[in-house]
Amino acid sequence: MSKLKIGVIISSTRPTRFGEVPAKWILNKANERPEIAAELIDLRDFNLPFFDEAASNAWMPSQNPEAVRWQNKISEFDGFIFVVAEYNRAITGALKNAIDQAYVNWNKKAFGAVGYGTVGAARAIENLRTIGIELQMVSTRSAVHIAGADFFAVHPLGQQNKPMSEIEGSIGNSANDMLDQLVWWAEAAKAAREEENLVSAAAE
């Protein structure tokens, strides 16, 4: 079986963001798995407008070339790991806009999450899971929450700037659980999509 293509999405685009630190950490852990080929997806690399299409691409093709480029990128993957910052108990505006720029490209795929902040982005990840339901996605039960003392140990605000390896004892098990579940669901969803495509092709 070919490896699962997993996109690790950095949800913040702020110049002072922290997200790329946990993103690179989980990217490396994902790529240690023999079943996974993970790739970093940085929202900064896509000049997405604020959603301004006539409708979702569930109903008609998008017109903006950058939105189409984003949709094509999302279509490459079998699943995702969202690296989530929490803004006012929800995901970032940049991530919500990026999610809204596509629909069919997310469908019937699995995702996990790594959250960071004082409460480990727990509320933002729950917000993301409800969005995932509308997108016909399946979320892992486990997520990684970098919270409290662990967060301040590795974030510049805590003035310690320790490497992620320093908090591995606290978050390593949840990362392994999340990746185990992501592999299971992503493989199941991929097999189902492939079977659906075969049935559709046979019916034509």
Side-chain angles (χ1 to χ4, degrees):
M1 181 180 290
S2 60
K3 289 190 174 187
L4 295 165
K5 287 199 68 178
I6 302 296
V8 177
I9 300 178
I10 306 176
S11 73
S12 174
T13 58
R14 291 187 306 124
T16 57
R17 73 182 182 188
F18 172 70
E20 57 201 81
V21 174
K24 290 175 181 176
W25 171 77
I26 198 63
L27 176 76
N28 290 335
K29 289 189 75 67
N31 277 325
E32 290 171 1
R33 299 292 183 110
E35 312 96 329
I36 292 177
E39 178 184 329
L40 200 64
I41 304 174
D42 192 340
L43 296 186
R44 286 179 180 172
D45 295 335
F46 296 85
N47 188 26
L48 291 169
F50 193 76
F51 184 77
D52 60 356
E53 299 290 338
S56 161
N57 75 337
W59 305 108
M60 62 178 62
S62 298
Q63 300 301 307
N64 186 284
E66 197 67 4
V68 173
R69 185 170 80 91
W70 170 250
Q71 292 162 6
N72 290 338
K73 187 64 180 175
I74 295 305
S75 291
E76 295 177 11
F77 295 94
D78 300 305
F80 305 91
I81 300 169
F82 293 94
V83 180
V84 180
E86 182 167 317
Y87 290 3
N88 298 320
R89 302 192 179 215
I91 60 174
T92 65
L95 178 58
K96 183 60 166 65
N97 184 55
I99 289 171
D100 291 344
Q101 297 284 350
Y103 183 81
V104 295
N105 321 85
W106 301 110
N107 287 178
K108 300 172 184 176
K109 296 178 181 180
F111 71 94
V114 176
Y116 59 90
T118 54
V119 295
R123 297 164 299 199
I125 290 173
E126 285 305 299
N127 175 226
L128 179 63
R129 284 172 171 149
T130 63
I131 295 167
I133 292 169
E134 175 59 27
L135 296 172
Q136 303 181 50
M137 302 180 80
V138 59
S139 170
T140 61
R141 175 186 181 275
S142 295
V144 181
H145 300 282
I146 305 168
D150 286 338
F151 172 64
F152 285 108
V154 295
H155 193 282
L157 285 175
Q159 300 182 343
Q160 298 180 61
N161 289 319
K162 291 181 178 180
M164 290 291 295
S165 59
E166 289 289 314
I167 61 170
E168 185 90 23
S170 298
I171 63 174
N173 287 341
S174 58
N176 289 332
D177 285 346
M178 184 269 287
L179 289 169
D180 286 344
Q181 294 162 26
L182 181 62
V183 167
W184 197 96
W185 283 110
E187 285 182 343
K190 182 179 181 181
R193 291 195 311 274
E194 290 173 349
E195 177 67 20
E196 186 177 58
N197 290 339
L198 287 173
V199 171
S200 295
E204 290 178 356

